Amino acid sequence: MRIRFWLMSVLALASTLSGMAHAASAADTATPSTYLQSLQQAARQQGLARSAMWRTLLHYSVQPLTRVDRSLADDPDFFLAPDGAHNPEHELDATLAAFFDPSAHHALDQPAACRFIARFQWLQEQLHFDAAQLPTPDCPRYTQWRQGIKADRATLIFPSAYINSPASMYGHTFIRLDARPEPGQTWSPMLSYAVSYAANGNEADGLAFAFKGLTGLYAGQFTNEPYYLRIRDYNDLENRDIWEYELNLTPVEINRLLAHAWELGPTRFDYYFFDENCSYHLLSLLDAARPELQLTRQFTWWAIPLDTVRAVTQTPGLLTRIQYRPSNSTELRYRAQLLGPQRARLAQQLSEETLSPQALAQQEPSPEQRALILETAERLVSYEATRKDSTEAATQKQRMALLAARAALPAGTPITVPTPIKDPTQGHDTARVDVMLGQRQGQGLVMLQARPAYHDLMDPEDGYQRGAAIQFFNVAFTKAANGHLQLESFTPVDISSLSAREPLMASKSWRVHMGLERSLATRADGTRPLGLNLRGGPGMATELMPDQHWLGYAFMDNQARWDRALPQQPWAVGSGIALGLLGDVNAQWRVQTEVFARAYLDKQPFETGLLVRTRYSLNKQWNLHAQCETTKRRETRVNQSCLLGVQRYL
Amino acid sequence: MKKIVVAALVTLAAASSMAAQNNVGSCGWGSKVFEGKSGIAPQVLAATTNGTSGNQTFGITFGTSGCTQDGVVSSSWRTAMYIDGNRVALARDAAAGQGESLDTLAELMGVKAADRALFASTIKGNFATVFANDQVAVNLKSVLASNAQLAGYAAVI
């Protein structure tokens, strides 16, 4: 890729030189149409329609399965040629032609040269328009917008995932534009503008959102708004920590980024949750800023926000600084920790209105502690309100009373939540491949497993949320000593959310697993048919040690199973309980053990089982992993397997 | 978090990360109510008219609404909109007498470095007045106006 890019650059340079000569030689007396033709010819000679920048500006991308090359924009108004969506050359010719038409009939009442200002600026650079024959237009609307957005620096913003909100499961990304303050002045990033691409839907219901998001039923849209609104949304309303990655884009590059953002503002894209999502399209803005980054090219099949952040931060020299903004729930947790259990209880009583702010002084003599208790109580009321989806207005009075009592106490020293040692980009890579050897029911077995995304309970926790595991499209193949390679399981979705109980905050634990897997029982002919397994249920988790290295959990263990090895009764529906322990012996070594017991309807046999897993990290890429499991139906052992192997993150 | 605002459904999808961006200009309706009236106070009132819960989105997109043009807040609205859209954090900082939201407000209003400590302590000292109701910007204006050293800043709101 690099070599190809270098070659293209050389070719482009060579043709630029010849094109310059060509453009300059256009007769001064040329009519617009002949001047247009000479520009179109120069563009062809330079191969502009095939250049990385043109492809970025028009969002051309080769579909990995069909190999069809077309633009991802789903808005006919984004193209000037009838077949512009899949013909870069025609689109470039039509674009040049449209620049000669000053009539303002494009989106936001603009002429083409303003509506497509990034195209104009880039083509002007490449083809050196003769101002006498193709004047640079006034674009008052763009100019006003561009001046309104003070932008000397760009920062990539990553509100991290919050597992209990399905739509946010793996985060979001957008770009913040910061001004460089005048000498002696300050610039608060809260006043910066954030440019974001998002699905334009308002399903609070995760399932509807997921369905529409997977099927492209949402229109995605670019928006920009002051950053303080974003902080409020993520930190306060959704309780998500925000990570900020400042990039070293130059003012010229930021101009290009904004010019392209302007083109995308009124343009519709169909939104797809996995590939054409917020993060993917955001990368295209960075590609437009600095074409040689070629960031979108790294994401053919899916674009997980965290991976896109990593692609940016791992580009040599692009990252200058990382900053952290804790969410309200993080602030609350930290304050509760500072207060200790007894004082935290006072905060809780205040929030439940069983203790009045006035009566607090009798319980707590120290004004500093009273101030902290009141602040904590107010944050707790806010947190509860967002959890219950009640409006802020409902709790406004109570919160203001708590804060008014706080305001009556001395200011004291500000409280700062410490930044976690590892930011999300420093965690393990999200794809993983496992190779395991072992035995099943006394027979030798090799297992290959691949997981495109994202994080499992056994993976190292650094940079990820403790107890939150989410895996998509996990697929496993096995080869038994006496058989051939076969699909063992295919699991589109596997989520576990273990939220440990804490003094002030309610915590919901739940898990869900659904997929195809081979039957535990063997048919008369020795084969194990593929069936369906749907498992999950609510639960609870608790930290067993103050150092947070041992987590105990219990789940209601519901299961619906379709098992063709049992032809009389292939369907089984049951429920039971699962108890488990997840612990870190040291920084590299993690163990998990779980026991379950399930009873089934229709007199199906009672099932019990035990699972033990252990992982040892050799380094950031490689783990050793071992797992043993055994399952009994009544007294019959239907499954016993032990596997040992290596895992590699990609 | 749903609430009807005169024919405009303002939803803030609790789920949303890549979700919900709703595009109801908060100034769109409010500013129409006060159309034809000049002066700061009506504008500020307009900003808070449909912002009683403080959790409406300004959902700004490319296009024109009452106080934004293509997502950029017009200068006369900047302070009012900041106060309205940032009420929770601002109240927290005001009560503590310090914090980023408060510093940002001072910066936005052009409060000189020499006046910033007084600015913060005055808001803290008058917390109950400033945050007595939804008219935070209006209340703040009157609190500043009654302080000899800070009166000049009242005009900014």
Side-chain angles (χ1 to χ4, degrees):
Chain A
M1 195 158 101
R2 227 162 247 303
I3 291 176
R4 209 173 73 195
F5 178 71
W6 180 82
L7 265 174
M8 274 172 61
S9 314
V10 173
L11 284 172
L13 186 69
S15 57
T16 305
L17 293 172
S18 68
M20 272 164 64
H22 182 92
S25 70
D28 291 346
T29 54
T31 61
S33 70
T34 57
Y35 183 57
L36 167 61
Q37 281 161 4
S38 72
L39 286 177
Q40 289 171 334
Q41 202 178 344
R44 262 191 295 281
Q45 281 176 340
Q46 296 179 36
L48 293 186
R50 291 187 304 278
S51 69
M53 187 63 170
W54 187 248
R55 293 189 60 82
T56 294
L57 290 178
L58 271 298
H59 296 253
Y60 290 119
S61 141
V62 177
Q63 217 287 333
L65 282 179
T66 58
R67 310 303 300 164
V68 171
D69 185 11
R70 73 180 303 276
S71 171
L72 298 174
D74 302 289
D75 188 337
D77 293 342
F78 187 66
F79 305 99
L80 294 159
D83 60 349
H86 47 83
N87 192 322
E89 285 83 8
H90 289 184
E91 182 60 21
L92 202 148
D93 283 348
T95 299
L96 285 169
F99 290 162
F100 286 83
D101 175 8
S103 70
H105 65 275
H106 291 277
L108 307 177
D109 309 317
Q110 304 171 91
C114 298
R115 160 74 179 89
F116 300 109
I117 192 146
R119 296 188 203 180
F120 186 91
Q121 290 173 353
W122 181 71
L123 288 167
Q124 189 178 38
E125 272 169 36
Q126 303 300 311
L127 299 171
H128 311 281
F129 297 156
D130 173 3
Q133 305 191 67
L134 178 53
T136 304
D138 266 345
C139 299
R141 189 154 179 178
Y142 173 75
T143 308
Q144 187 192 1
W145 178 79
R146 182 61 192 84
Q147 284 169 350
I149 295 182
K150 306 269 187 294
D152 303 304
R153 284 171 305 176
T155 300
L156 179 67
I157 310 288
F158 177 57
S160 51
Y162 171 55
I163 194 148
N164 281 335
S165 136
S168 81
M169 271 178 314
Y170 59 18
H172 177 45
T173 53
F174 56 93
I175 288 176
R176 189 185 77 207
L177 298 151
D178 302 319
R180 207 176 292 284
E182 305 290 318
Q185 302 279 317
T186 52
W187 177 266
S188 167
M190 291 183 87
L191 298 173
S192 296
Y193 281 91
V195 173
S196 171
Y197 171 81
N200 205 342
N202 53 11
E203 264 73 357
D205 176 6
L207 274 179
F209 175 79
F211 174 74
K212 289 186 170 180
L214 291 172
T215 49
L217 289 172
Y218 280 121
Q221 206 174 20
F222 279 86
T223 57
N224 57 296
E225 60 183 17
Y227 187 51
Y228 58 79
L229 296 175
R230 294 270 163 193
I231 297 173
R232 185 192 63 182
D233 287 357
Y234 292 115
N235 275 177
D236 283 334
L237 298 175
E238 296 185 19
N239 291 301
R240 292 160 66 181
D241 294 343
I242 297 175
W243 290 88
E244 306 176 346
Y245 300 90
E246 191 180 292
L247 311 177
N248 77 342
L249 295 183
T250 63
V252 171
E253 289 169 337
I254 288 172
N255 279 338
R256 282 202 288 256
L257 186 149
L258 282 169
H260 190 47
W262 180 255
E263 294 183 337
L264 296 178
T267 306
R268 205 182 74 99
F269 287 81
D270 288 343
Y271 180 96
Y272 291 91
F273 191 70
F274 280 114
D275 52 357
E276 280 189 60
N277 58 27
C278 57
S279 297
Y280 181 88
H281 283 296
L282 208 70
L283 292 181
S284 69
L285 279 183
L286 294 172
D287 283 347
R290 190 184 290 178
E292 59 269 29
L293 286 175
Q294 295 284 307
L295 290 163
T296 45
R297 288 243 183 131
Q298 298 179 33
F299 297 90
T300 307
W301 297 96
W302 61 81
I304 286 172
L306 173 57
D307 289 340
T308 65
V309 176
R310 217 177 256 143
V312 171
T313 57
Q314 289 177 353
T315 301
L318 192 53
L319 176 70
T320 53
R321 198 164 59 137
I322 301 179
Q323 288 195 294
Y324 171 70
R325 277 180 192 271
S327 67
N328 184 39
S329 59
T330 305
E331 294 264 11
L332 184 54
R333 200 171 285 129
Y334 182 67
R335 282 172 169 74
Q337 202 183 316
L338 290 178
L339 287 172
Q342 279 162 343
R343 290 183 174 124
R345 202 162 308 124
L346 292 175
Q348 194 162 8
Q349 289 169 358
L350 285 168
S351 77
E352 290 162 353
E353 296 186 296
T354 52
L355 174 70
S356 72
Q358 293 70 34
L360 180 63
Q362 286 129 44
Q363 306 274 339
E364 174 56 63
S366 149
E368 290 85 15
Q369 291 295 335
R370 281 211 301 280
L372 184 53
I373 291 168
L374 287 160
E375 284 178 20
T376 308
E378 183 274 326
R379 285 185 175 275
L380 184 55
V381 173
S382 287
Y383 172 77
E384 290 293 337
T386 56
R387 272 192 55 248
K388 297 192 182 96
D389 263 9
S390 67
T391 61
E392 188 201 317
T395 57
Q396 175 94 342
K397 221 171 130 227
Q398 190 194 350
R399 288 181 29 253
M400 290 305 143
L402 290 165
L403 288 179
R406 161 66 189 98
L409 295 163
T413 47
I415 286 168
T416 312
V417 176
T419 301
I421 299 159
K422 299 251 172 145
D423 78 282
T425 61
Q426 290 170 286
H428 64 80
D429 286 342
T430 55
R432 198 186 75 203
V433 175
D434 309 351
V435 181
M436 317 273 280
L437 298 171
Q439 57 81 29
R440 182 179 183 286
Q441 299 291 65
Q443 288 220 339
L445 187 77
V446 180
M447 182 165 92
L448 300 171
Q449 185 163 242
R451 178 198 73 193
Y454 169 72
H455 176 74
D456 164 22
L457 285 177
M458 294 308 285
D459 289 329
E461 228 165 64
D462 282 340
Y464 289 83
Q465 191 188 337
R466 179 164 171 77
I470 177 162
Q471 299 190 88
F472 292 116
F473 301 112
N474 193 327
V475 61
F477 293 92
T478 52
K479 185 183 180 314
N482 60 350
H484 41 88
L485 191 71
Q486 62 179 14
L487 177 69
E488 179 69 25
S489 67
F490 171 65
T491 316
V493 178
D494 185 31
I495 302 174
S496 300
S497 171
L498 301 174
S499 307
R501 296 156 54 87
E502 353 180 11
L504 289 181
M505 292 149 82
S507 48
K508 275 193 284 195
S509 294
W510 54 280
R511 66 182 182 183
V512 61
H513 165 108
M514 56 194 206
L516 289 172
E517 53 198 53
R518 295 228 169 248
S519 169
L520 294 179
T522 310
R523 279 174 170 162
D525 64 0
T527 59
R528 295 161 51 226
L530 272 176
L532 289 171
N533 183 3
L534 179 61
R535 255 181 99 171
M540 54 181 286
T542 183
E543 294 287 357
L544 301 173
M545 301 278 175
D547 62 7
Q548 298 214 331
H549 287 173
W550 294 87
L551 193 70
Y553 62 86
F555 281 104
M556 191 172 164
D557 196 12
N558 305 315
Q559 189 190 42
R561 192 179 63 211
W562 181 58
D563 184 346
R564 288 179 301 155
L566 309 166
Q568 297 80 19
Q569 267 190 316
W571 280 101
V573 176
S575 180
I577 188 160
L579 300 172
L581 179 70
L582 186 70
D584 291 307
V585 180
N586 59 36
Q588 288 79 34
W589 190 15
R590 171 165 282 202
V591 291
Q592 180 188 17
T593 174
E594 184 175 311
V595 292
F596 70 85
R598 274 192 301 264
Y600 291 85
L601 300 173
D602 289 341
K603 302 198 181 74
Q604 297 254 37
F606 192 78
E607 206 168 275
T608 54
L610 166 71
L611 165 74
V612 180
R613 299 198 286 174
T614 181
R615 176 265 306 162
Y616 186 85
S617 298
L618 297 167
N619 57 33
K620 231 182 106 170
Q621 259 73 44
W622 290 93
N623 297 336
L624 293 175
H625 188 267
Q627 64 184 64
C628 287
E629 54 190 316
T630 173
T631 308
K632 280 182 173 177
R633 286 192 180 145
R634 289 209 183 91
E635 294 307 306
T636 319
R637 184 172 289 161
V638 287
N639 171 36
Q640 188 190 27
S641 67
C642 268
L643 293 161
L644 171 72
V646 289
Q647 299 177 323
R648 168 96 163 81
Y649 297 101
L650 308 161
Chain B
M1 281 177 234
K2 287 188 182 162
K3 132 183 202 277
I4 303 290
V5 179
V6 187
L9 182 64
V10 177
T11 328
L12 209 144
S16 125
S17 77
M18 308 197 184
Q21 283 287 317
N22 41 70
N23 296 314
V24 181
S26 78
C27 311
W29 175 67
S31 55
K32 281 197 183 64
V33 172
F34 297 98
E35 232 160 50
K37 296 188 181 179
S38 57
I40 298 284
Q43 277 207 331
V44 173
L45 284 171
T48 50
T49 297
N50 54 3
T52 46
S53 76
N55 70 7
Q56 87 283 12
T57 50
F58 289 101
I60 289 161
T61 183
F62 288 81
T64 309
S65 84
C67 56
T68 63
Q69 173 73 36
D70 302 321
V72 174
V73 184
S74 67
S75 56
S76 57
W77 281 95
R78 285 181 72 204
T79 304
M81 196 163 146
Y82 173 79
I83 292 171
D84 200 42
N86 203 36
R87 209 176 328 192
V88 175
L90 204 51
R92 277 177 192 150
D93 286 0
Q98 61 207 349
E100 188 189 16
S101 294
L102 201 56
D103 294 344
T104 303
L105 178 64
E107 181 187 305
L108 191 56
M109 292 173 62
V111 177
K112 294 190 193 77
D115 294 334
R116 291 217 175 172
L118 179 68
F119 180 80
S121 64
T122 304
I123 295 177
K124 180 173 181 286
N126 293 280
F127 182 92
T129 312
V130 176
F131 293 92
N133 52 31
D134 289 319
Q135 313 298 328
V136 177
V138 179
N139 303 337
L140 178 61
K141 195 178 168 73
S142 68
V143 164
L144 293 177
S146 58
N147 180 303
Q149 200 181 325
L150 301 174
Y153 299 117
V156 182
I157 303 176

